[in-house]
Amino acid sequence: MSWSADEIDTGSAHSARMYDYFLGGKDNYPPDQAAAEKVLAVLPHARTIARNNRYFMRRSARMLAEEAGIRQFLDIGTGIPTSPNLHQVIQEIAPEARIVYTDNDPIVLTHARAFLTSAPQGMTAYAEADLREPRSILTAPELLETLDLSRPVALMMISILHFVPPEYDHYAILGELVDALPSGSYLALTYGTSDFAPEEMKRAADVYAASRVPVRQRPKEEIQQFFQGLELVEPGLVPIHRWRPDDPALGKLSDADVSMFGGVARKP
């Protein structure tokens, strides 16, 4: 694609490629595999967390397209494409929907440009942008050419904000993004927690940190603050497998098996 090989760092682990490994994908490298296996050694349900995070994305996207009638989506932290992808879920309901994917990893964007193709009635675009600098997202030409920011947008923050290094203000970053969206927009967010399995989650965070992939976990009350000023839709902020479950098997999981909160909220 438009990237040269030396722009893609395959010598160290990357959170998106580790996530791909947990999901059973093949777009990862030995450092990602080694780091992911170390996580699995201390957090055996890491694959369960990744899968249920993906399921939450699908359920929340369907709700936003079907019930809320949203036709514009901004997905930050795209990750390696894994079918069904966000635009596939949405455009199955609303083929005319427009989706902008953003990420700052060259290999993710290369895969996105190759595989994330839109339905003919709608549009997808891919922007290289860094969540640590929200303005780089909001001013990206790909976003401005695809989405109309005077109309409601669903901001999808699925398992991404907790990977922003702790020296950055997570609340300020999200606040800047939400402030740029009009009334009637929505936020869908998942964020890791140590509320249910504190020792295992701490050991997993230590493995990530040793692999130069910082991850921050928060208790529920701190995650709740990300939705300040927004109107949470039912069932509120809950462990992700308890958010509008559509499979009886989800009822067999414990909160410790998933260790992530998720919610969807409307901007009044």
Side-chain angles (χ1 to χ4, degrees):
M1 306 298 288
S2 61
W3 298 92
S4 63
D6 59 2
E7 290 181 274
I8 298 177
D9 178 11
T10 61
S12 56
H14 187 280
S15 59
R17 299 194 301 261
M18 291 174 67
Y19 186 62
D20 177 71
Y21 182 82
F22 291 139
L23 291 173
K26 300 185 183 301
D27 296 305
N28 46 74
Y29 296 91
D32 309 307
Q33 298 158 14
E37 284 295 336
K38 289 178 182 177
V39 171
L40 286 166
V42 299
L43 185 68
H45 48 274
R47 294 189 191 277
T48 301
I49 296 173
R51 285 195 297 268
N52 279 276
N53 186 65
R54 197 78 188 166
Y55 300 155
F56 174 93
M57 180 276 289
R58 297 176 197 170
R59 296 196 303 276
S60 61
R62 286 196 298 268
M63 172 264 162
L64 289 164
E66 288 179 339
E67 297 180 27
I70 300 296
R71 296 295 181 263
Q72 301 191 111
F73 291 76
L74 173 56
D75 181 38
I76 298 180
T78 302
I80 305 291
T82 304
S83 184
N85 293 288
L86 176 66
H87 73 284
Q88 294 170 317
V89 174
I90 297 162
Q91 290 184 338
E92 183 177 310
I93 299 163
E96 73 278 18
R98 294 176 167 234
I99 300 93
V100 173
Y101 293 102
T102 72
D103 211 296
N104 68 340
D105 180 35
I107 198 168
V108 170
L109 288 172
T110 297
H111 282 283
R113 290 176 177 140
F115 298 116
L116 299 182
T117 55
S118 174
Q121 303 95 317
M123 184 180 294
T124 60
Y126 325 101
E128 180 196 2
D130 194 326
L131 180 54
R132 293 171 295 183
E133 300 175 1
R135 295 305 302 171
S136 72
I137 298 173
L138 297 171
T139 60
E142 296 89 348
L143 183 149
L144 298 175
E145 292 166 4
T146 307
L147 303 183
D148 178 356
L149 295 184
S150 69
R151 296 173 51 237
V153 175
L155 174 61
M156 309 296 289
M157 301 284 289
I158 306 299
S159 189
I160 181 62
L161 196 54
H162 52 226
F163 286 116
V164 174
E167 61 266 26
Y168 291 86
D169 187 335
H170 293 188
Y171 297 107
I173 288 172
L174 184 62
E176 186 170 349
L177 292 167
V178 172
D179 286 348
L181 304 180
S183 173
S185 294
Y186 282 80
L187 167 67
L189 176 143
T190 64
Y191 201 106
T193 185
S194 57
D195 280 3
F196 309 114
E199 293 303 318
E200 289 180 332
M201 292 297 285
K202 181 184 183 304
R203 288 195 291 266
D206 290 343
V207 171
Y208 271 102
S211 301
R212 295 187 295 173
V213 181
V215 61
R216 180 166 184 170
Q217 301 154 5
R218 293 181 185 270
K220 182 178 182 179
E221 55 268 25
E222 291 186 11
I223 300 172
Q224 190 95 32
Q225 292 178 37
F226 288 117
F227 296 95
Q228 188 170 5
L230 305 178
E231 301 168 346
L232 277 161
V233 302
E234 291 296 330
L237 181 65
V238 295
I240 52 177
H241 64 301
R242 300 188 187 278
W243 196 91
R244 302 195 180 194
D246 56 3
D247 183 342
L250 296 177
K252 300 177 182 178
L253 295 172
S254 71
D255 295 345
D257 290 332
V258 177
S259 292
M260 188 173 291
F261 281 105
V264 176
R266 181 182 182 275
K267 182 176 179 180

